[in-house]
Amino acid sequence: ANEDRYLVLPERGIFLVADGVGGRRAGQIASQTVVDVFTEAFASLPVSPIMPLVEGAIERCNKRIYSSSMEAAELSGMATTIALVAVDGDQAIIGHVGDSRVYRFDGQSLTCETEDHSEVHEAVREGLLSADQAALHPRRNVINRALGVEPEVEADYKTSPIEGRTG
């Protein structure tokens, strides 16, 4: 079953993918919650800076998913990843939780702008595994951060200039 959802609102400057965590119940509901919360948050044109709007939306997503999973047995354990780009003038805000990635295309090549929140990627960062070992590791798809798993979540954010764009 496809548990992925996406939101593309170019007029609002928000682009995101939410990937319901496989192996858990109701991943499609968790990922749809992300789309619903961000649609509400970006219903009107955001004012600059939009970082607080993005941070608040991610916090609301996590709280709604977590609360729903605590209140209904059929939703117990639901979770999702998120990867997003929010345009703020000539800057892109990149945010993510989990192992969904954001890439930058410069016209010739792709550059990954995010680092997976996974056990295996953490081992690579710490020098315990090589990239080649990680690619074949049996736990390479086990994430250690997702929306809805805990009452609070830590998202990673970064800003990046949008080349060739003004205002």
Side-chain angles (χ1 to χ4, degrees):
N2 184 355
E3 297 182 335
D4 302 350
R5 299 293 185 269
Y6 66 91
L7 179 64
V8 176
L9 298 173
E11 69 283 0
R12 303 289 193 253
I14 188 76
F15 308 86
L16 70 82
V17 172
D19 180 1
V21 175
R24 292 181 175 254
R25 292 188 220 179
Q28 73 280 6
I29 295 171
S31 57
Q32 185 62 50
T33 299
V34 170
V35 169
D36 294 344
V37 168
F38 271 85
T39 299
E40 293 165 12
F42 282 81
S44 60
L45 288 174
V47 294
S48 190
I50 62 169
M51 181 63 96
L53 185 63
V54 170
E55 291 172 327
I58 286 182
E59 289 172 18
R60 281 191 305 282
C61 290
N62 190 68
K63 286 184 188 327
R64 279 194 198 172
I65 295 165
Y66 182 78
S67 294
S68 294
S69 74
M70 294 291 115
E71 294 167 4
E74 67 274 10
L75 303 178
S76 179
M78 73 174 171
T80 186
T81 68
I82 184 173
L84 69 87
V85 175
V87 178
D88 190 6
D90 63 352
Q91 296 285 312
I93 296 168
I94 299 166
H96 85 291
V97 177
D99 62 353
S100 295
R101 300 175 185 148
V102 174
Y103 289 87
R104 173 188 295 267
F105 182 64
D106 65 7
Q108 296 182 351
S109 62
L110 287 172
T111 304
C112 188
E113 294 288 338
T114 56
E115 291 189 9
D116 290 359
H117 299 135
S118 69
E119 294 176 3
V120 169
H121 190 75
E122 193 172 298
V124 171
R125 277 194 308 270
E126 293 173 1
L128 302 173
L129 289 176
S130 70
D132 290 339
Q133 290 171 318
L136 301 173
H137 198 281
R139 295 184 56 83
R140 67 187 170 274
N141 295 323
V142 176
I143 59 175
N144 55 16
R145 212 182 299 177
L147 294 175
V149 175
E150 300 288 335
E152 303 290 326
V153 70
E154 180 182 349
D156 286 348
Y157 299 99
K158 69 190 270 188
T159 57
S160 182
I162 300 174
E163 297 173 22
R165 181 178 169 105
T166 55

